Amino acid sequence: MDGISFDPGGREEGVAAAARLLAHKERILVFTGAGISTESGIPDFRGPDGVWTRVDPAEFTYSRFLANPDTRRRSWQMRKESGILEAEPNRAHRALVTLWEIGRMLAVVTQNIDGLHQKAGLPARVVVELHGNAHQAVCVACRAKVPTGEVLDRVAAGEDDPDCTACGGILKPDVVLFEEAMPILETDRAMHLAYEADAVISIGSTLGVFPAAFVPIRAIETGASFVIVNMGPTELDDLADVLIAGPAGEVVPDLVAALTRSTPR
Ligand code: NAD
């Protein structure tokens, strides 16, 4: 940590403190969670209106998904109704594209499955998706991938548990379900980026989901500065150099504008 601390409350002071801390950082790793996408209409899990206040996560574990056709039916139905595939990026996603364009960002490591960083305009190669992508479905037997839209069209046409057209295996959303292992390549890549980063900005995450939260922890251990942008407290507030309490859609554009001003042309 660089020894700058900030008591959350004053958003403008927080942005100014973060801009000073990050003024000379050129390898900023952005770590995002569900909170960056709530302003795009996708609810988070643990916030006051979070999905887990309405649905029991224990019903949607990997083993249950494989064992129980009814869980699969409900899962596809929920995807269809969630609106996640139609969601549009918001100001925070778009500001991160600017951060990339001005050459200050190493990559985005996201826990989100909504694909909104790419939809906003970030090249896919700079987005590491730790928990997969809801726009794709995968066959658990032959690993064939198909667009989720196609699976949902089959659901709409009356198949409530569509199987893989190539091998007849079970189709699953290409996202990490509870109790399912993290994707090895993406996890590895995220950890390497954590070593390379000179700063981390965490946006809209409780930082309480592991192993994902090891990414910012690893970067901090390696000497990176740490800024948190979140509406509520997080599990890693004690490790932050600067905490900014506020909506990502307002804070992130302000912070990126300040960093743009401090970037030599
Ligand atoms: P979380 O649901 O645990 O926490 C989200 C945090 O964001 C909360 O602390 C909340 O106060 C904060 N927040 C909500 N709206 C905000 C806003 N507008 N600006 C700033 N902060 C805001 O999310 P998590 O830490 O990402 O972990 C949940 C898991 O759920 C992730 O692993 C992810 O895979 C998955 N998830 C993804 C999506 C998505 O793809 N959009 C949505 C829900 C859950």
Side-chain angles (χ1 to χ4, degrees):
M1 287 197 279
D2 290 19
I4 298 177
S5 64
F6 175 71
D7 184 19
R11 195 186 305 164
E12 279 175 25
E13 293 90 327
V15 169
R20 282 195 299 278
L21 178 75
L22 301 174
H24 301 291
K25 308 292 184 190
E26 289 177 352
R27 298 188 313 280
I28 299 171
L29 184 63
V30 176
F31 181 82
T32 62
I36 196 173
S37 296
T38 54
E39 290 162 80
S40 291
I42 305 171
D44 60 15
F45 278 175
R46 294 169 184 76
D49 301 318
V51 171
W52 298 148
T53 58
R54 288 171 278 124
V55 177
D56 179 2
E59 284 185 45
F60 293 93
T61 60
Y62 184 52
S63 51
R64 278 214 179 191
F65 187 92
L66 293 190
N68 191 343
D70 195 48
T71 301
R72 297 201 285 279
R73 269 182 217 113
R74 291 190 51 209
S75 168
W76 292 122
Q77 214 55 49
M78 276 170 57
R79 296 271 151 208
K80 201 162 142 44
E81 287 157 13
S82 72
I84 197 167
L85 301 182
E86 294 82 30
E88 290 296 330
N90 62 50
R91 293 182 68 213
H93 297 103
R94 288 196 294 272
L96 292 178
V97 179
T98 304
L99 188 63
W100 165 253
E101 286 171 348
I102 63 171
R104 305 284 298 277
M105 193 172 88
L106 194 57
V108 171
V109 172
T110 187
Q111 301 167 87
N112 293 345
I113 57 172
D114 54 35
L116 289 183
H117 291 298
Q118 299 91 316
K119 208 167 181 181
L122 270 185
R125 68 187 146 82
V126 298
V127 183
V128 181
E129 295 176 314
L130 289 178
H131 293 161
N133 189 314
H135 290 261
Q136 287 195 131
V138 61
C139 170
V140 299
C142 73
R143 308 306 297 172
K145 298 211 178 183
V146 283
T148 304
E150 283 180 20
V151 182
L152 295 182
D153 285 348
R154 287 170 65 191
V155 172
E159 280 180 78
D160 47 16
D161 176 24
D163 58 9
C164 172
T165 51
C167 78
I170 292 173
L171 283 179
K172 172 184 107 46
D174 195 10
V175 303
V176 177
L177 299 182
F178 283 97
E179 299 174 358
E180 188 175 1
M182 299 267 288
I184 292 170
L185 282 179
E186 283 77 3
T187 308
D188 242 30
R189 217 182 131 210
M191 287 303 174
H192 279 289
L193 288 163
Y195 283 118
E196 280 178 50
D198 57 9
V200 179
I201 308 175
S202 172
I203 305 167
S205 176
T206 50
L207 294 164
V209 176
F210 287 86
F214 283 129
V215 174
I217 291 175
R218 190 58 49 83
I220 297 162
E221 283 172 357
T222 323
S225 303
F226 188 33
V227 173
I228 295 179
V229 178
N230 205 59
M231 294 260 262
T234 83
E235 303 281 324
L236 302 184
D237 282 359
D238 289 349
L239 298 181
D241 296 296
V242 179
L243 286 173
I244 311 173
E250 291 176 25
V251 175
V252 180
D254 287 353
L255 179 56
V256 171
L259 293 176
T260 304
R261 288 193 291 274
S262 71
T263 302
R265 288 167 201 247

